[in-house]
Amino acid sequence: MDEFSKIENWKREGKKIVFTNGCFDIIHAGHVDYLEKAKKLGDILIVGLNSDASVRRIKGKDRPVNIQEHRKRVLEALKPVDLVIIFDEDTPEKLIKQIKPDVLVKGGDWKIENIVGADFVRSYGGQVKTIDFVYDISTTKIIQKARKTGK
């Protein structure tokens, strides 16, 4: 069964679909906390994962550190995550329109009006939410620290 057939089945079963997206290059405690909180907003958590090419365009030529298949595998192993879909565009707008989630979620560093797909999700009665970060950590900070201590 393909990804979108699974989603349609969940919808037929009346499951509340939550969608988030990101690069998830080096998984850290902040990611785990965020995904746990996102999952609590519904029944099914779908993660849109930026492809390697998309991460390079957004983050620069040295990223991602981990290839998309490895990043997908790690995310799929996390308890809150029900499905991971890799997308190649710079934004998940096309994917959001395909999935039509009940809840669209991003991190607290995003203003709701700047969240890609927010207007679309709200147009059919869906919710758009942000989740505050509790850890002062990011993949970029981890890479910077590793570079500093590796010299």
Side-chain angles (χ1 to χ4, degrees):
M1 181 182 302
D2 76 355
E3 298 155 334
F4 294 99
S5 296
K6 284 182 185 179
I7 295 167
E8 286 308 312
N9 281 343
W10 287 326
K11 286 183 176 192
R12 274 194 296 278
E13 293 169 1
K15 304 285 188 190
K16 188 175 186 180
I17 307 290
V18 180
F19 177 86
T20 192
N21 68 281
C23 300
F24 297 96
D25 194 1
I26 298 174
I27 300 292
H28 52 70
H31 287 135
V32 174
D33 182 74
Y34 171 78
L35 293 169
E36 287 172 340
K37 289 175 179 169
K39 174 67 177 231
K40 289 178 182 174
L41 298 173
D43 303 306
I44 301 294
L45 177 59
I46 300 172
V47 177
L49 181 65
N50 290 77
S51 70
D52 291 347
S54 158
V55 174
R56 269 190 294 282
R57 288 192 302 270
I58 296 166
K59 301 283 187 180
K61 65 178 177 57
D62 293 334
R63 299 279 300 275
V65 172
N66 292 300
I67 62 171
Q68 65 192 30
E69 291 80 9
H70 293 179
R71 293 182 289 123
K72 183 177 193 247
R73 175 71 184 95
V74 171
L75 280 169
E76 289 171 335
L78 297 178
K79 192 174 183 178
V81 178
D82 296 290
L83 183 66
V84 178
I85 302 173
I86 297 171
F87 66 96
D88 197 41
E89 299 80 19
D90 290 350
T91 75
E93 186 170 11
K94 181 179 166 187
L95 190 54
I96 291 166
K97 288 182 175 177
Q98 287 178 288
I99 294 170
K100 206 172 172 189
D102 298 294
V103 184
L104 174 61
V105 183
K106 286 296 284 180
D109 55 335
W110 284 82
K111 290 186 173 144
I112 295 219
E113 60 269 17
N114 295 336
I115 296 174
V116 171
D119 289 340
F120 173 73
V121 171
R122 283 204 210 112
S123 76
Y124 56 80
Q127 298 176 301
V128 181
K129 297 187 177 279
T130 58
I131 294 174
D132 290 334
F133 297 131
V134 295
Y135 295 96
D136 183 26
I137 190 169
S138 70
T139 297
T140 300
K141 288 179 182 179
I142 291 169
I143 291 169
Q144 289 170 344
K145 184 177 181 180
R147 285 185 177 141
K148 198 182 303 182
T149 58
K151 291 182 180 179

